Amino acid sequence: MPKTHLAQILGDVYLLRVDDEETRYFEALWEIGNKGITYNSYLLMSDDAVVLLDTWKKTYADEFLENLRELVDVRDVTHIILHHMEPDHSGSLRKVLEENGFRAEVLGHQLSKNMVRSFYGVNGKFRAVRDGERLSLGGLTLEFIHTPWLHWPETIMTYLGDRGVLFSGDAFGGFSIPSAIFDEDRIVPGYLTFVKEYISTVIGNYRQYITKNINKLMERNLDVKMIAPAHGLVWKNDPKAVIDFYLKVAEGVPEKGKVLVIYASMYGACDAAAGIVIRELERNRKKPIVYGFTDSERPPISGLMGDAADAESMVIITPTYESDVFPLISYITDMISRKIPGNKPILILSSYGWAGVAGKRLAERFEIAKFPVVDVVEFHGRPDEDSEKRIIESTRKLVSYV
Ligand code: FEO
């Protein structure tokens, strides 16, 4: 049985949270098996309205209904707001509506209308909310804000005006299962690592919309006292902290001295090159963070992406494989090029058996993605004395570039 939480977070505002410890690869892509994720739904109650904001992943639909029944007769839910159609939040919609007798009006972005039908076969009452539209329900005043690409185009947020609560969907969320509901000082620093990972993997491709949408929220002068995201902690003590952190990660603000070293090594040649680079970085008082993919090690790429976001620079080392870049390095390059800001200089090394080609190809790909490539060193087999000198010189070039 998954662990679930029901918490009154403010007046008649309730959190329904499930801790997903079962999913190993979020979106069938990102390794979260060692950290998990939560799905947060919220319930607002006034004299004449019961408003549900998002649901849980379908896997937990039965548990969702059990928790919802603790708070309300599901038939009494009058409105269901969908901030985002990705099924980790909308997945239990159908079951809720079935128990509700399809009485509730479903609210969301215009683009969600067809998705509600095609994802869940729901053809009932749907109301598209406009950007900036306000809705008064009994004692509640809700304001809807379109926040596209956080993290799909149909994403909206809801601001509960009277109480200063911003229900933000994916935005301001993070991976992991926090040991508390709110942003307690004792857990925030550790949790932010998982927020950074979440941004870099799930939302990274749309990072310019993080900045755009946060600016849009600021322009509205909302008096945000609490941020209630669809994943992770609820930010009550310092909501500005998570806003600032999201901006920092979206802009790729580097941690001083942090150099990400990524290598794949089939038979030890690139492993040896990584050792040369790491020693030279340490001699220059840099902090290398190493992800090595070998025949015995495969570190999580989700963690790698989190570390790429605030790296000062990167070293990428690839074997030559079928006259091209090694497939895993190719995939990692694709993810970094799409999801990480290109303000990080890169040194590329590659080992070859017959002819140097992988390094040049990798450099081309990073240059197309607007990353500055500081140098490319291709070496034959394991690095010999001459190759070692070239690797050391290139590492110094990278160090002095920053
Ligand atoms: Fe948590 Fe994009 O869904």
Side-chain angles (χ1 to χ4, degrees), residues 26 84 86 88-89 151 170 198 202 231:
F26 187 69
H84 172 28
E86 191 162 9
D88 53 333
H89 309 294
H151 113 265
D170 272 346
Y198 177 78
V202 177
H231 299 290

